[in-house]
Amino acid sequence: MSLYYVQKFLYELNRSEQVQAAFRADATATVESFVSEGADLSEEEVAALVMPDIGKLFHLGCNGQILMHFAAFHQIEWQDYLQRMRDGIDEHGPVREGVYAMTGYEGTDAHSTALGQNSAVGQQNTNGDR
Amino acid sequence: MPLVFAGVCSHAPGITGRADQADPVVRDGFYAAFEQMRHDLETTKPDAVVIVAAEHFANFFMNNMPSFAIGMADFYDGPIEDPDWLAIDKFRAPGSRDISTRLIAEVMETADVSYCEEWKFDHGIAVPLHFLTPNFDLPVIPVNINCQGPPLTPLARAWNFGEALRRACDAVPERIAIVGTGGISHWPATPDSGKINEAWDRDFLDRWCRNDRDDLLDYTDESVYADAGQGGFEIRTFLTVAAAAQGAIGTVHFCEPIPIFAVSCTIATYDLAG
Protein backbone atom coordinates (compact mmCIF):
# COMPACT_ATOMS: atom_id res chain seq x y z
CA MET A 1 0.00 0.00 0.00
CA SER A 2 1.34 3.41 -0.88
CA LEU A 3 -0.50 6.60 -0.10
CA TYR A 4 2.32 8.44 -1.81
CA TYR A 5 1.60 6.85 -5.19
CA VAL A 6 -2.18 7.11 -4.87
CA GLN A 7 -1.80 10.83 -4.36
CA LYS A 8 0.89 11.05 -7.04
CA PHE A 9 -1.50 9.55 -9.57
CA LEU A 10 -4.19 12.07 -8.63
CA TYR A 11 -1.65 14.90 -8.74
CA GLU A 12 -0.68 13.91 -12.28
CA LEU A 13 -4.31 13.55 -13.31
CA ASN A 14 -5.28 16.92 -11.84
CA ARG A 15 -2.48 18.68 -13.72
CA SER A 16 -2.60 17.04 -17.13
CA GLU A 17 -5.33 17.20 -19.74
CA GLN A 18 -3.63 14.30 -21.53
CA VAL A 19 -3.86 12.08 -18.45
CA GLN A 20 -7.47 13.18 -17.97
CA ALA A 21 -8.32 12.22 -21.55
CA ALA A 22 -6.63 8.84 -21.16
CA PHE A 23 -8.42 8.22 -17.86
CA ARG A 24 -11.79 9.06 -19.41
CA ALA A 25 -11.10 6.67 -22.27
CA ASP A 26 -9.88 3.78 -20.09
CA ALA A 27 -9.45 4.33 -16.37
CA THR A 28 -8.13 0.85 -15.65
CA ALA A 29 -5.51 1.00 -18.39
CA THR A 30 -4.38 4.45 -17.27
CA VAL A 31 -3.86 3.35 -13.67
CA GLU A 32 -2.21 0.11 -14.76
CA SER A 33 0.15 2.10 -16.96
CA PHE A 34 1.09 4.15 -13.91
CA VAL A 35 1.79 0.93 -12.03
CA SER A 36 3.86 -0.47 -14.87
CA GLU A 37 6.08 2.61 -14.63
CA GLY A 38 6.94 1.69 -11.04
CA ALA A 39 4.12 3.05 -8.92
CA ASP A 40 3.58 0.83 -5.88
CA LEU A 41 -0.20 0.55 -5.78
CA SER A 42 -2.17 -2.24 -4.11
CA GLU A 43 -5.24 -3.83 -5.70
CA GLU A 44 -7.36 -1.97 -3.17
CA GLU A 45 -5.87 1.35 -4.22
CA VAL A 46 -6.21 0.62 -7.92
CA ALA A 47 -9.86 -0.31 -7.46
CA ALA A 48 -10.57 2.86 -5.46
CA LEU A 49 -9.00 5.02 -8.16
CA VAL A 50 -10.78 3.30 -11.03
CA MET A 51 -14.26 3.19 -9.49
CA PRO A 52 -13.85 6.03 -8.21
CA ASP A 53 -14.42 5.37 -4.51
CA ILE A 54 -14.06 8.81 -2.91
CA GLY A 55 -14.84 7.51 0.58
CA LYS A 56 -12.19 4.79 0.37
CA LEU A 57 -9.60 7.21 -1.01
CA PHE A 58 -10.23 9.58 1.91
CA HIS A 59 -10.05 6.65 4.33
CA LEU A 60 -6.72 5.67 2.78
CA GLY A 61 -5.41 9.15 3.61
CA CYS A 62 -5.70 11.17 0.42
CA ASN A 63 -5.41 14.88 1.03
CA GLY A 64 -8.68 16.65 0.28
CA GLN A 65 -6.84 19.32 -1.65
CA ILE A 66 -5.98 16.62 -4.16
CA LEU A 67 -9.11 14.53 -3.81
CA MET A 68 -11.59 17.37 -4.34
CA HIS A 69 -10.30 17.92 -7.87
CA PHE A 70 -10.69 14.22 -8.62
CA ALA A 71 -14.30 14.50 -7.45
CA ALA A 72 -14.87 17.59 -9.59
CA PHE A 73 -13.33 15.73 -12.55
CA HIS A 74 -16.06 13.13 -12.08
CA GLN A 75 -18.73 15.84 -11.84
CA ILE A 76 -19.41 14.95 -8.22
CA GLU A 77 -21.22 17.89 -6.66
CA TRP A 78 -19.62 19.51 -3.57
CA GLN A 79 -22.09 18.32 -0.94
CA ASP A 80 -22.05 14.84 -2.45
CA TYR A 81 -18.24 14.88 -2.32
CA LEU A 82 -18.31 15.74 1.39
CA GLN A 83 -20.92 13.07 2.09
CA ARG A 84 -18.95 10.39 0.26
CA MET A 85 -15.98 11.07 2.53
CA ARG A 86 -18.19 10.83 5.61
CA ASP A 87 -19.63 7.59 4.33
CA GLY A 88 -16.13 6.29 3.69
CA ILE A 89 -15.15 6.86 7.32
CA ASP A 90 -18.37 5.22 8.53
CA GLU A 91 -17.81 2.21 6.30
CA HIS A 92 -14.06 1.72 6.48
CA GLY A 93 -13.02 3.35 9.77
CA PRO A 94 -10.60 6.16 10.68
CA VAL A 95 -8.20 7.64 8.15
CA ARG A 96 -5.26 5.26 7.96
CA GLU A 97 -2.37 7.65 7.36
CA GLY A 98 -1.40 11.02 6.01
CA VAL A 99 -2.05 14.49 7.38
CA TYR A 100 -5.53 13.71 8.72
CA ALA A 101 -4.21 10.80 10.75
CA MET A 102 -1.87 13.15 12.61
CA THR A 103 -4.11 13.17 15.63
CA GLY A 104 -6.42 10.42 14.47
CA TYR A 105 -9.39 11.20 12.27
CA GLU A 106 -12.50 9.30 13.24
CA GLY A 107 -15.23 11.31 11.58
CA THR A 108 -16.98 14.61 11.98
CA ASP A 109 -18.70 13.92 15.31
CA ALA A 110 -15.54 12.71 17.01
CA HIS A 111 -13.63 15.60 15.52
CA SER A 112 -16.19 18.11 16.76
CA THR A 113 -15.91 16.63 20.22
CA ALA A 114 -12.14 16.89 20.09
CA LEU A 115 -12.40 20.46 18.89
CA GLY A 116 -14.75 21.30 21.72
CA GLN A 117 -12.09 20.10 24.13
CA ASN A 118 -9.65 22.48 22.54
CA SER A 119 -11.29 25.80 23.44
CA ALA A 120 -13.18 26.08 20.19
CA VAL A 121 -15.65 28.63 21.45
CA GLY A 122 -17.67 30.09 18.66
CA GLN A 123 -16.87 27.44 16.09
CA GLN A 124 -19.17 27.46 13.11
CA ASN A 125 -20.60 24.38 11.52
CA THR A 126 -23.88 24.73 9.80
CA ASN A 127 -25.13 21.42 8.52
CA GLY A 128 -26.88 22.96 5.56
CA ASP A 129 -23.85 24.98 4.61
CA ARG A 130 -20.96 22.65 4.84
CA MET B 1 12.35 51.35 -2.75
CA PRO B 2 10.69 50.55 0.57
CA LEU B 3 7.81 48.11 0.44
CA VAL B 4 4.67 50.04 -0.53
CA PHE B 5 1.86 47.71 0.60
CA ALA B 6 1.40 44.70 2.87
CA GLY B 7 -1.78 42.80 3.50
CA VAL B 8 -3.46 39.41 3.68
CA CYS B 9 -6.62 37.92 2.26
CA SER B 10 -8.46 34.63 2.02
CA HIS B 11 -8.19 32.47 -1.07
CA ALA B 12 -10.64 29.58 -0.63
CA PRO B 13 -12.01 28.24 -3.92
CA GLY B 14 -15.58 28.50 -2.66
CA ILE B 15 -15.21 32.30 -2.61
CA THR B 16 -15.73 32.25 -6.35
CA GLY B 17 -16.83 28.67 -7.06
CA ARG B 18 -19.67 28.46 -4.54
CA ALA B 19 -20.59 32.15 -4.39
CA ASP B 20 -24.26 31.49 -5.08
CA GLN B 21 -24.56 29.27 -1.97
CA ALA B 22 -23.38 31.88 0.56
CA ASP B 23 -25.42 34.29 2.64
CA PRO B 24 -25.54 37.20 0.18
CA VAL B 25 -25.28 39.88 2.86
CA VAL B 26 -22.07 38.50 4.37
CA ARG B 27 -20.68 37.50 0.98
CA ASP B 28 -21.22 40.94 -0.52
CA GLY B 29 -19.64 42.57 2.52
CA PHE B 30 -16.60 40.41 1.97
CA TYR B 31 -16.49 41.21 -1.74
CA ALA B 32 -16.72 44.93 -0.89
CA ALA B 33 -13.74 44.56 1.46
CA PHE B 34 -11.81 42.83 -1.33
CA GLU B 35 -12.72 45.72 -3.64
CA GLN B 36 -11.45 48.22 -1.07
CA MET B 37 -8.22 46.22 -0.80
CA ARG B 38 -7.84 46.43 -4.58
CA HIS B 39 -8.33 50.20 -4.40
CA ASP B 40 -5.82 50.54 -1.56
CA LEU B 41 -3.32 48.39 -3.42
CA GLU B 42 -3.69 50.41 -6.63
CA THR B 43 -3.31 53.67 -4.71
CA THR B 44 0.23 52.67 -3.76
CA LYS B 45 1.06 52.39 -7.51
CA PRO B 46 3.00 49.14 -7.24
CA ASP B 47 5.22 47.95 -10.08
CA ALA B 48 4.69 44.34 -8.98
CA VAL B 49 2.82 42.42 -6.31
CA VAL B 50 4.38 39.53 -4.42
CA ILE B 51 1.69 36.97 -3.64
CA VAL B 52 2.71 34.74 -0.73
CA ALA B 53 0.58 31.65 -1.14
CA ALA B 54 0.09 28.17 0.20
CA GLU B 55 -0.53 26.26 -2.97
CA HIS B 56 -2.28 22.94 -2.95
CA PHE B 57 -0.33 20.30 -4.90
CA ALA B 58 -0.70 22.10 -8.23
CA ASN B 59 3.03 22.58 -8.81
CA PHE B 60 4.72 21.04 -5.82
CA PHE B 61 4.34 17.47 -4.67
CA MET B 62 6.03 15.22 -2.14
CA ASN B 63 8.54 14.06 -4.75
CA ASN B 64 10.28 17.42 -4.46
CA MET B 65 8.69 19.75 -1.95
CA PRO B 66 10.45 23.05 -1.31
CA SER B 67 9.94 24.89 1.95
CA PHE B 68 9.96 28.13 -0.05
CA ALA B 69 9.66 28.81 -3.76
CA ILE B 70 9.52 32.00 -5.82
CA GLY B 71 8.36 32.28 -9.41
CA MET B 72 10.82 33.61 -11.98
CA ALA B 73 8.86 33.91 -15.21
CA ASP B 74 7.37 36.59 -17.44
CA PHE B 75 3.92 35.02 -17.29
CA TYR B 76 1.88 32.47 -15.38
CA ASP B 77 -1.21 30.57 -16.52
CA GLY B 78 -4.17 29.63 -14.38
CA PRO B 79 -6.34 28.46 -12.96
CA ILE B 80 -5.14 24.87 -12.92
CA GLU B 81 -8.58 23.85 -11.64
CA ASP B 82 -11.58 23.41 -13.89
CA PRO B 83 -12.69 26.99 -14.73
CA ASP B 84 -16.35 26.11 -14.24
CA TRP B 85 -15.63 24.57 -10.83
CA LEU B 86 -13.67 27.62 -9.68
CA ALA B 87 -15.80 30.12 -11.65
CA ILE B 88 -12.65 31.84 -12.89
CA ASP B 89 -11.87 31.77 -16.60
CA LYS B 90 -8.50 30.65 -17.87
CA PHE B 91 -6.05 33.55 -17.72
CA ARG B 92 -2.44 34.48 -18.29
CA ALA B 93 -1.11 36.73 -15.54
CA PRO B 94 1.96 38.85 -16.20
CA GLY B 95 5.11 38.19 -14.24
CA SER B 96 8.52 39.81 -14.32
CA ARG B 97 11.48 37.54 -14.72
CA ASP B 98 13.70 40.57 -14.23
CA ILE B 99 12.26 41.66 -10.89
CA SER B 100 11.93 38.06 -9.72
CA THR B 101 15.56 37.33 -10.47
CA ARG B 102 16.75 40.26 -8.41
CA LEU B 103 14.40 39.50 -5.52
CA ILE B 104 15.43 35.85 -5.48
CA ALA B 105 19.13 36.69 -5.54
CA GLU B 106 18.70 38.95 -2.52
CA VAL B 107 16.50 36.48 -0.61
CA MET B 108 19.09 33.76 -1.20
CA GLU B 109 21.62 35.78 0.76
CA THR B 110 19.82 34.87 3.97
CA ALA B 111 17.23 32.17 3.16
CA ASP B 112 17.10 29.01 1.06
CA VAL B 113 14.56 29.25 -1.72
CA SER B 114 13.69 27.35 -4.89
CA TYR B 115 13.02 29.32 -8.03
CA CYS B 116 10.49 28.36 -10.68
CA GLU B 117 10.47 29.42 -14.33
CA GLU B 118 7.15 27.64 -14.71
CA TRP B 119 4.17 27.83 -12.38
CA LYS B 120 0.49 27.14 -12.90
CA PHE B 121 -1.63 29.16 -10.52
CA ASP B 122 -4.22 27.32 -8.46
CA HIS B 123 -7.00 28.91 -6.44
CA GLY B 124 -4.50 30.02 -3.81
CA ILE B 125 -3.32 32.75 -6.17
CA ALA B 126 -6.11 32.81 -8.77
CA VAL B 127 -8.82 33.83 -6.30
CA PRO B 128 -6.89 36.80 -4.86
CA LEU B 129 -5.91 37.95 -8.37
CA HIS B 130 -9.53 37.66 -9.49
CA PHE B 131 -10.36 40.40 -6.98
CA LEU B 132 -7.12 42.39 -6.69
CA THR B 133 -5.91 42.57 -10.28
CA PRO B 134 -8.99 41.55 -12.29
CA ASN B 135 -7.52 42.89 -15.53
CA PHE B 136 -4.24 41.01 -15.00
CA ASP B 137 -2.31 44.20 -15.63
CA LEU B 138 0.07 44.08 -12.65
CA PRO B 139 3.13 41.81 -12.69
CA VAL B 140 2.85 39.03 -10.12
CA ILE B 141 5.75 37.46 -8.22
CA PRO B 142 4.35 34.19 -6.84
CA VAL B 143 5.78 32.82 -3.63
CA ASN B 144 4.93 29.49 -2.06
CA ILE B 145 5.43 28.19 1.45
CA ASN B 146 4.90 24.50 2.16
CA CYS B 147 1.77 24.50 4.29
CA GLN B 148 0.42 21.20 2.94
CA GLY B 149 2.85 18.30 2.97
CA PRO B 150 4.45 17.51 6.37
CA PRO B 151 7.09 18.05 7.52
CA LEU B 152 5.95 21.63 7.04
CA THR B 153 8.05 24.75 6.90
CA PRO B 154 8.77 25.70 10.52
CA LEU B 155 6.99 28.86 11.66
CA ALA B 156 10.21 30.56 12.71
CA ARG B 157 11.62 30.01 9.25
CA ALA B 158 8.50 31.49 7.67
CA TRP B 159 9.15 34.55 9.79
CA ASN B 160 12.81 34.71 8.76
CA PHE B 161 11.75 34.29 5.15
CA GLY B 162 9.45 37.30 5.49
CA GLU B 163 12.36 39.35 6.77
CA ALA B 164 14.45 38.21 3.80
CA LEU B 165 11.63 39.12 1.42
CA ARG B 166 11.41 42.57 2.95
CA ARG B 167 15.13 43.15 2.52
CA ALA B 168 14.82 42.06 -1.10
CA CYS B 169 11.80 44.25 -1.82
CA ASP B 170 13.51 47.25 -0.28
CA ALA B 171 16.67 46.62 -2.29
CA VAL B 172 15.11 46.92 -5.74
CA PRO B 173 14.15 50.31 -7.21
CA GLU B 174 10.65 49.17 -8.13
CA ARG B 175 7.61 49.73 -5.94
CA ILE B 176 6.75 46.30 -4.52
CA ALA B 177 3.54 45.25 -2.76
CA ILE B 178 3.14 42.02 -0.80
CA VAL B 179 -0.07 40.10 -0.20
CA GLY B 180 -0.29 36.90 1.83
CA THR B 181 -3.15 34.53 1.10
CA GLY B 182 -4.48 31.66 3.12
CA GLY B 183 -7.13 30.51 5.47
CA ILE B 184 -6.96 30.81 9.21
CA SER B 185 -8.85 27.98 10.95
CA HIS B 186 -10.46 25.66 8.43
CA TRP B 187 -10.81 22.04 7.42
CA PRO B 188 -10.86 22.47 3.65
CA ALA B 189 -12.02 19.71 1.33
CA THR B 190 -12.63 17.27 4.19
CA PRO B 191 -15.83 16.00 5.82
CA ASP B 192 -15.42 18.89 8.27
CA SER B 193 -15.42 21.52 5.53
CA GLY B 194 -17.46 24.45 6.87
CA LYS B 195 -16.23 24.08 10.43
CA ILE B 196 -14.62 27.36 11.52
CA ASN B 197 -13.07 28.17 14.90
CA GLU B 198 -13.98 31.83 15.04
CA ALA B 199 -12.49 32.46 18.48
CA TRP B 200 -9.16 31.01 17.37
CA ASP B 201 -9.26 33.15 14.24
CA ARG B 202 -9.86 36.36 16.15
CA ASP B 203 -7.10 35.57 18.63
CA PHE B 204 -4.69 34.88 15.78
CA LEU B 205 -5.64 38.09 13.97
CA ASP B 206 -5.14 40.04 17.20
CA ARG B 207 -1.59 38.70 17.33
CA TRP B 208 -1.15 39.48 13.64
CA CYS B 209 -2.33 43.07 14.05
CA ARG B 210 -0.05 43.62 17.04
CA ASN B 211 2.67 42.06 14.92
CA ASP B 212 4.13 40.36 17.96
CA ARG B 213 6.72 37.86 16.77
CA ASP B 214 6.75 35.77 19.92
CA ASP B 215 2.96 35.50 20.03
CA LEU B 216 2.73 34.70 16.34
CA LEU B 217 5.30 31.92 16.63
CA ASP B 218 3.72 30.48 19.79
CA TYR B 219 1.98 27.62 17.98
CA THR B 220 2.85 24.02 17.24
CA ASP B 221 1.59 22.06 14.24
CA GLU B 222 -0.18 19.74 16.66
CA SER B 223 -2.05 22.55 18.43
CA VAL B 224 -2.92 24.22 15.12
CA TYR B 225 -4.24 20.96 13.72
CA ALA B 226 -6.35 20.32 16.81
CA ASP B 227 -7.79 23.82 17.07
CA ALA B 228 -7.69 25.14 13.53
CA GLY B 229 -7.52 22.13 11.23
CA GLN B 230 -4.97 21.35 8.57
CA GLY B 231 -6.04 24.54 6.84
CA GLY B 232 -4.66 26.43 9.81
CA PHE B 233 -1.17 25.47 8.66
CA GLU B 234 -1.57 28.28 6.13
CA ILE B 235 -0.93 30.87 8.87
CA ARG B 236 2.64 30.67 7.57
CA THR B 237 1.70 33.06 4.78
CA PHE B 238 0.30 35.54 7.31
CA LEU B 239 3.45 35.22 9.44
CA THR B 240 5.68 35.92 6.47
CA VAL B 241 3.77 39.11 5.64
CA ALA B 242 3.89 40.13 9.31
CA ALA B 243 7.66 39.77 9.32
CA ALA B 244 7.90 41.67 6.05
CA ALA B 245 5.91 44.50 7.62
CA GLN B 246 8.73 44.99 10.16
CA GLY B 247 6.67 45.79 13.22
CA ALA B 248 3.92 47.75 11.49
CA ILE B 249 0.49 47.59 13.11
CA GLY B 250 -2.31 45.86 11.25
CA THR B 251 -6.01 46.47 10.76
CA VAL B 252 -8.62 43.82 10.07
CA HIS B 253 -11.04 45.25 7.53
CA PHE B 254 -13.23 42.17 7.31
CA CYS B 255 -13.37 38.84 9.12
CA GLU B 256 -16.59 36.85 9.10
CA PRO B 257 -17.16 33.10 8.95
CA ILE B 258 -18.73 32.00 5.67
CA PRO B 259 -19.10 28.22 6.12
CA ILE B 260 -19.77 27.42 2.46
CA PHE B 261 -16.46 29.17 1.70
CA ALA B 262 -14.92 27.03 4.49
CA VAL B 263 -13.13 29.90 6.26
CA SER B 264 -13.44 33.11 8.19
CA CYS B 265 -13.17 35.32 5.13
CA THR B 266 -10.51 37.86 5.95
CA ILE B 267 -9.08 41.09 4.59
CA ALA B 268 -6.38 42.84 6.62
CA THR B 269 -3.53 45.25 5.95
CA TYR B 270 -0.55 46.76 7.71
CA ASP B 271 0.03 50.49 8.01
CA LEU B 272 3.53 50.68 6.59
CA ALA B 273 3.63 54.47 6.93
CA GLY B 274 2.76 54.43 10.62
Side-chain angles (χ1 to χ4, degrees):
Chain A
M1 185 189 78
S2 169
L3 175 61
Y4 172 80
Y5 283 111
V6 175
Q7 295 191 113
K8 181 77 183 297
F9 178 82
L10 296 176
Y11 165 76
E12 301 283 0
L13 181 77
N14 292 342
R15 284 174 52 83
S16 168
E17 292 181 2
Q18 286 85 355
V19 177
Q20 290 167 15
F23 191 85
R24 281 195 186 93
D26 192 334
T28 301
T30 306
V31 176
E32 287 179 348
S33 173
F34 187 63
V35 172
S36 71
E37 293 168 2
D40 178 22
L41 292 177
S42 68
E43 290 184 8
E44 178 186 39
E45 291 164 338
V46 170
L49 288 168
V50 169
M51 186 182 283
D53 188 338
I54 298 296
K56 173 63 79 67
L57 290 169
F58 183 70
H59 162 74
L60 292 174
C62 284
N63 192 300
Q65 298 286 0
I66 296 174
L67 192 57
M68 70 177 176
H69 298 305
F70 189 51
F73 169 77
H74 284 289
Q75 305 295 313
I76 296 170
E77 191 272 333
W78 182 251
Q79 302 294 347
D80 186 15
Y81 161 66
L82 300 181
Q83 189 57 49
R84 290 187 190 209
M85 289 188 289
R86 295 179 191 122
D87 293 345
I89 296 302
D90 288 345
E91 181 177 354
H92 304 295
V95 173
R96 288 189 196 170
E97 60 176 312
V99 68
Y100 307 125
M102 237 172 83
T103 56
Y105 189 90
E106 299 180 353
T108 52
D109 291 342
H111 206 60
S112 293
T113 301
L115 189 65
Q117 293 168 349
N118 284 294
S119 65
V121 179
Q123 64 175 288
Q124 303 280 317
N125 195 347
T126 307
N127 286 335
D129 271 354
R130 66 187 185 184
Chain B
M1 181 102 192
L3 189 70
V4 299
F5 181 90
V8 292
C9 63
S10 304
H11 69 216
I15 292 170
T16 49
R18 296 188 291 278
D20 60 333
Q21 300 177 51
D23 178 337
V25 174
V26 184
R27 177 200 64 199
D28 291 349
F30 175 51
Y31 287 177
F34 240 138
E35 176 67 11
Q36 183 63 47
M37 188 181 198
R38 180 183 69 81
H39 174 77
D40 293 344
L41 174 65
E42 289 179 350
T43 299
T44 65
K45 301 185 183 306
D47 296 308
V49 57
V50 174
I51 304 283
V52 182
E55 77 117 59
H56 318 80
F57 308 110
N59 299 272
F60 308 107
F61 189 70
M62 280 71 80
N63 59 344
N64 191 357
M65 180 66 80
S67 291
F68 304 104
I70 300 179
M72 196 172 71
D74 281 325
F75 64 85
Y76 304 94
D77 291 332
I80 196 168
E81 294 94 341
D82 179 77
D84 292 334
W85 182 83
L86 190 60
I88 294 178
D89 292 336
K90 292 285 186 185
F91 63 82
R92 173 163 288 185
S96 171
R97 178 181 168 80
D98 174 41
I99 296 175
S100 281
T101 302
R102 286 181 278 128
L103 291 178
I104 291 164
E106 179 60 32
V107 168
M108 280 180 168
E109 292 290 336
T110 53
D112 292 329
V113 62
S114 297
Y115 61 81
C116 310
E117 295 199 48
E118 186 179 353
W119 190 317
K120 294 179 180 178
F121 288 171
D122 76 356
H123 65 268
I125 293 179
V127 170
L129 292 185
H130 174 77
F131 290 97
L132 298 177
T133 67
N135 298 318
F136 299 106
D137 51 3
L138 178 64
V140 178
I141 313 293
V143 172
N144 188 64
I145 301 174
N146 176 22
C147 303
Q148 308 292 348
L152 306 173
T153 303
L155 297 183
R157 292 200 61 224
W159 184 274
N160 294 343
F161 181 67
E163 293 177 328
L165 265 181
R166 176 61 185 264
R167 280 192 290 273
C169 292
D170 288 355
V172 298
E174 288 86 357
R175 299 173 64 84
I176 306 297
I178 185 168
V179 174
T181 88
I184 319 178
S185 74
H186 64 312
W187 286 255
T190 73
D192 289 308
S193 181
K195 189 192 301 293
I196 295 166
N197 190 339
E198 188 177 355
W200 194 92
D201 290 346
R202 296 200 181 281
D203 177 71
F204 174 79
L205 287 175
D206 175 66
R207 302 181 196 206
W208 188 86
C209 286
R210 288 187 283 107
N211 207 342
D212 186 309
R213 179 185 183 278
D214 290 341
D215 280 354
L216 282 168
L217 298 186
D218 189 23
Y219 295 98
T220 65
D221 285 347
E222 290 72 20
S223 71
V224 169
Y225 183 83
D227 292 336
Q230 86 282 357
F233 296 152
E234 294 179 352
I235 60 172
R236 286 159 173 77
T237 65
F238 285 48
L239 297 187
T240 291
V241 172
Q246 289 186 330
I249 300 302
T251 299
V252 176
H253 303 285
F254 191 94
C255 182
E256 293 293 338
I258 303 182
I260 192 63
F261 294 171
V263 292
S264 286
C265 290
T266 304
I267 301 287
T269 57
Y270 279 119
D271 179 10
L272 296 179

